[in-house]
Amino acid sequence: LHGSAYEFAKRGYMDANHWVNNLTDTPRPAHTEDQFGFEVAGPVRLPHLYNGRDKTFFMFNGEFYRQKLPQYGMYDVPNQAWVNGDFSGFTNSNGDLYPVYDVNTANAANGYARSMFQTANTGSTTCGNAQGYNCVPTNRFNPIAVKIVNMVIGAFTPTPNAIAGEQSWENIWVNRQPQNNTMNNYIAKVDQAIGTKDRLSFNYIHDDNVVNSLVTPPGDWANGEHFEEAHQNAGIDWIHTQRENLLFDVHGSYQRYWRSDGQPQTWNYDPTQLGWSSAFINSLPLTKGFPQISWTVAEPYSAQGQGYGSWPLLSRDRFMIPDDTFSLAPTVTWNKQKHSLRAGIDLRTTHT
């Protein structure tokens, strides 16, 4: 009986802190990495039942990987004044307004020129400047969009630390959630000698890999990368020695590969909670899961956060792709003096 074991470990106490953490006066986060495994092999022996010495052999191998990898990112979060329609504080460092235009003011008579929103009261609050510029009536807002933005505001906690160059209207959330990577790999094999002319070999391989990282706080609509894949293979190999220079080999196997994507906590979310009707949701291919939302708001170049235009999607569609393959590969090998001739057939069928 033979065996071995190993461990490769990495710890982050010697890592340099990320510049985002230095900027926001945040301590260095944890960083761990472990790759470990073992192997054991030898003849199969069952006391008082079977002695496989010189006949039956086995090998089993396991390898594992665990990593917690720090992530860094700064994202701007909408403030409550904007939900109330008041964009009067949306200014540059000189106090000049970034204009919020009303598209309904464009028409053929004025050459399709747009005017800034201007109202003394938005319906939810009194405008922050006397002229009413950049104040949007809240009845112009889509109620579903308002509900989603309020969910965002409630989940993201802006950093209390001052950031150099931060604009007065910015609420910056710093993402420090680690990316977690997990891998498991197993290999099992049994070899059996049958007389002097035949050998049978059985093998099984399994490996799985999970990558999980969030770029939003956790929740029903959390987003980030959640990737799972697994590979399984079972095979049998028969080798027959017809004579010393003539060998037959028949190999058969079954292989399954599957992968899935999307944050698991979003898969069963009921979209009607956002305000859509059941009839509308039931008309869609997917009736469960938080909807995919992409932000396309322009971001002033002066912002320190990654901005509203580069926000991650709030959720992603879940999908799963299974793939099954069956194969049979008989071969014959004939050796004649200095020459070797080999012929075979590889038959495969794949189902996806």
Side-chain angles (χ1 to χ4, degrees), residues 256-292:
R256 160 159 278 206
Y257 171 82
W258 67 266
R259 58 172 288 186
S260 66
D261 204 354
Q263 287 296 325
Q265 60 266 47
T266 71
W267 294 344
N268 294 316
Y269 187 84
D270 182 2
T272 60
Q273 297 179 66
L274 297 174
W276 282 298
S277 67
S278 297
F280 171 70
I281 295 300
N282 290 332
S283 70
L284 302 177
L286 294 176
T287 60
K288 293 290 185 180
F290 199 90
Q292 179 172 300

Side-chain angles (χ1 to χ4, degrees), residues 88-267:
S88 60
F90 192 32
T91 63
N92 61 22
S93 55
N94 296 323
D96 300 322
L97 282 174
Y98 290 113
V100 179
Y101 291 109
D102 183 355
V103 295
N104 289 348
T105 59
N107 53 59
N110 63 15
Y112 298 100
R114 298 169 301 167
S115 300
M116 291 174 61
F117 276 101
Q118 185 177 13
T119 182
N121 190 291
T122 67
S124 296
T125 186
T126 301
C127 189
N129 59 50
Q131 295 80 17
Y133 288 119
N134 269 16
C135 289
V136 182
T138 52
N139 60 12
R140 297 284 298 275
F141 290 160
N142 183 292
I144 296 175
V146 171
K147 191 164 189 174
I148 292 172
V149 172
N150 277 323
M151 291 173 65
V152 171
I153 292 176
F156 288 78
T157 302
T159 176
N161 301 326
I163 297 176
E166 181 179 358
Q167 302 297 302
S168 60
W169 44 266
E170 282 192 276
N171 288 331
I172 296 180
W173 175 70
V174 180
N175 181 25
R176 303 186 185 93
Q177 300 171 103
Q179 174 178 300
N180 294 294
N181 302 317
T182 301
M183 183 272 290
N184 302 297
N185 183 291
Y186 305 95
I187 301 175
K189 185 178 181 183
V190 175
D191 295 307
Q192 176 69 49
I194 305 175
T196 60
K197 291 191 173 184
D198 295 279
R199 298 287 189 272
L200 276 176
S201 177
F202 305 90
N203 64 79
Y204 175 75
I205 300 172
H206 171 92
D207 65 77
D208 58 76
N209 179 37
V210 178
V211 177
N212 189 58
S213 63
L214 287 173
V215 291
T216 65
D220 291 335
W221 47 268
N223 188 48
E225 180 183 16
H226 183 91
F227 173 80
E228 297 183 38
E229 65 175 350
H231 170 261
Q232 295 173 311
N233 184 291
I236 182 172
D237 192 57
W238 169 56
I239 299 176
H240 172 72
T241 304
Q242 182 67 27
R243 52 179 184 266
E244 63 180 12
N245 67 336
L246 183 61
L247 301 176
F248 294 93
D249 185 357
V250 179
H251 179 77
S253 68
Y254 164 71
Q255 175 178 282
R256 160 159 278 206
Y257 171 82
W258 67 266
R259 58 172 288 186
S260 66
D261 204 354
Q263 287 296 325
Q265 60 266 47
T266 71
W267 294 344

Side-chain angles (χ1 to χ4, degrees), residues 313-333:
L313 303 180
L314 282 187
S315 181
R316 293 193 307 199
D317 295 335
R318 176 199 181 191
F319 62 87
M320 180 175 178
I321 305 175
D323 190 324
D324 296 304
T325 301
F326 301 86
S327 68
L328 181 66
T331 62
V332 58
T333 303

